[in-house]
Amino acid sequence: MTATVVAWVLLLAVAAYACGGGVDYGAGFWDLLAGGADRGRRPRWLIDHAMAPVWEVNNVWLIFIVVLMWTGFPVFFQTVFTALWLPLALAAVGMVLRGAGFALRKPTHRLAERRIYGAMFAVSSLLTPFFLGTVIGAVASGRAAPGTTASTDVWAHTTSVMAGLITVAATAFLGAVFLTVDARRFEAHDLVGYFRLRSWIAAAVLLVLGAIGLTVTDPHASHVHHGLTHGAGLALVIAAAVALAVTAWLVAGPAAGWARYSSVAVVALLVAAWGFAQRPYLVPTSLTVQQGAGASATMQWMIIVAVVALVFIGPALVVLYRLDTHGVLQPVPEEDGAE
């Protein structure tokens, strides 16, 4: 029972990182496609100001995920980090380069250096979620089974590539929706329509990729495919599609601020659908939650740690996100916000 509870806590942490970190990765994705220095100046200005107060905070969820895996499910941790060390290493390098690029491009005055740091940030914002998505696909496919040696066959296949593409599309969707709302908040009226259009494009791409992912999957992913097309998994997928349509409608109206919540619901529901489809396995169909769990005393302590984190860290993060979305943390100079 305790192992099941910790497994659900792990899934919640993954959903939190997918939503919080996904917004930042998505902003970087649109930074990559913003165009040259002149054409992309305004979108990149908004991206910088929207991300600056909270972009580092989302790594808290990633650390929590690693700790839960390492301590609560050591066999699962060993399996994933042994069989999938390459995409994980590429994602980690991308996180480092992304953070360095974002931190260094603003205070740098030389145009050539700004372009280098900007490229590091933007390209890493695309590659990092892609490789993280391929890891999810490899786990869902069952190819990353205990004892599997590292090779490209484990993660470079249909299910993993589709999972990587869906992850990128989801982050692009989140980023565009949040930037649409931020454009209104910063009174950057010329950017409202700019990012609203990109929200609709990303939503359409996510819907198409999701449909393809449900029909074109690796034979090894039959367990998860069945879970996503039946029962609770299918209900959650349908709910995510409804939330996607609601978000597309909200960003066009006066209540666009609510689109942030519905867009987060889309990604959270997709992660939940994956979790329900994969149960009772950590790695279908070779490692169940109970088989991969650590000692019972350890699992009990993990539940205590999760409760402490929920009580002390959760409210602090909620307040931080709320202050940021209400423009309290970083006032925008009038000259920067001018159209």
Side-chain angles (χ1 to χ4, degrees):
M1 180 62 183
T2 54
T4 302
V5 173
V6 175
W8 284 114
V9 172
L10 177 60
L11 186 69
L12 287 173
V14 171
Y17 182 65
C19 295
V23 174
D24 287 346
Y25 287 126
F29 176 87
W30 296 117
D31 187 292
L32 179 64
L33 300 184
D38 293 333
R39 179 185 174 188
R41 181 182 62 85
R42 290 280 295 156
R44 291 191 177 101
W45 163 82
L46 179 62
I47 290 168
D48 283 346
H49 283 81
M51 285 183 56
V54 297
W55 70 278
E56 292 178 295
V57 176
N58 295 310
N59 289 326
V60 170
W61 298 115
L62 185 59
I63 295 170
F64 191 42
I65 291 169
V66 173
V67 171
L68 281 174
M69 285 181 62
W70 183 10
T71 309
F73 303 99
V75 176
F76 182 48
F77 179 88
Q78 180 185 20
T79 298
V80 171
F81 278 79
T82 299
L84 301 169
W85 70 266
L86 181 55
L88 286 170
L90 292 173
V93 170
M95 292 177 194
V96 173
L97 293 179
R98 182 176 180 273
F102 183 74
L104 295 175
R105 76 171 180 176
K106 288 185 68 176
T108 301
H109 298 290
R110 296 180 60 181
L111 180 59
E113 293 181 357
R114 284 178 63 89
R115 286 178 173 173
I116 292 174
Y117 294 136
M120 287 170 52
F121 164 69
V123 174
S124 297
S125 296
L126 169 65
L127 296 180
T128 300
F130 174 77
F131 285 119
L132 290 176
T134 62
V135 170
I136 292 175
V139 171
S141 71
R143 287 178 178 248
T148 302
T149 58
S151 69
T152 55
D153 292 336
V154 180
W155 60 276
H157 53 85
T158 305
T159 301
S160 285
V161 172
M162 284 303 306
L165 294 175
I166 290 172
T167 302
V168 172
T171 60
F173 168 69
L174 284 172
V177 170
F178 272 68
L179 287 168
T180 301
V181 179
D182 286 329
R184 291 192 176 193
R185 176 162 60 93
F186 290 146
E187 298 184 354
H189 304 293
D190 58 317
L191 295 178
V192 175
Y194 177 93
F195 282 111
R196 180 192 297 136
L197 175 61
R198 282 150 180 79
S199 300
W200 289 336
I201 293 173
V205 171
L206 180 58
L207 184 62
V208 170
L209 287 176
I212 295 174
L214 287 176
T215 55
V216 183
T217 55
D218 189 277
H220 289 79
S222 58
H223 178 83
V224 172
H225 179 268
H226 181 271
L228 290 173
T229 54
H230 296 80
L234 177 60
L236 290 168
V237 169
I238 294 174
V242 172
L244 188 71
V246 170
T247 304
W249 173 70
L250 285 173
V251 293
W258 289 99
R260 289 182 300 207
Y261 302 101
S262 59
S263 65
V264 167
V266 171
V267 176
L269 287 168
L270 289 176
V271 174
W274 165 49
F276 272 89
Q278 190 163 299
R279 61 178 180 170
Y281 294 101
L282 292 170
V283 180
T285 50
S286 58
L287 183 67
T288 66
V289 170
Q290 300 302 324
Q291 290 171 341
S296 58
T298 301
M299 304 306 287
Q300 292 172 1
W301 275 107
M302 293 307 300
I303 293 176
I304 294 173
V305 170
V307 171
V308 171
L310 179 64
V311 171
F312 290 98
I313 300 177
L317 291 176
V318 170
V319 171
L320 177 64
Y321 289 139
R322 184 170 180 81
L323 291 175
D324 176 51
T325 55
H326 284 73
V328 176
L329 298 181
Q330 183 173 334
V332 181
E334 292 186 5
E335 59 271 20
D336 285 344
E339 295 185 12

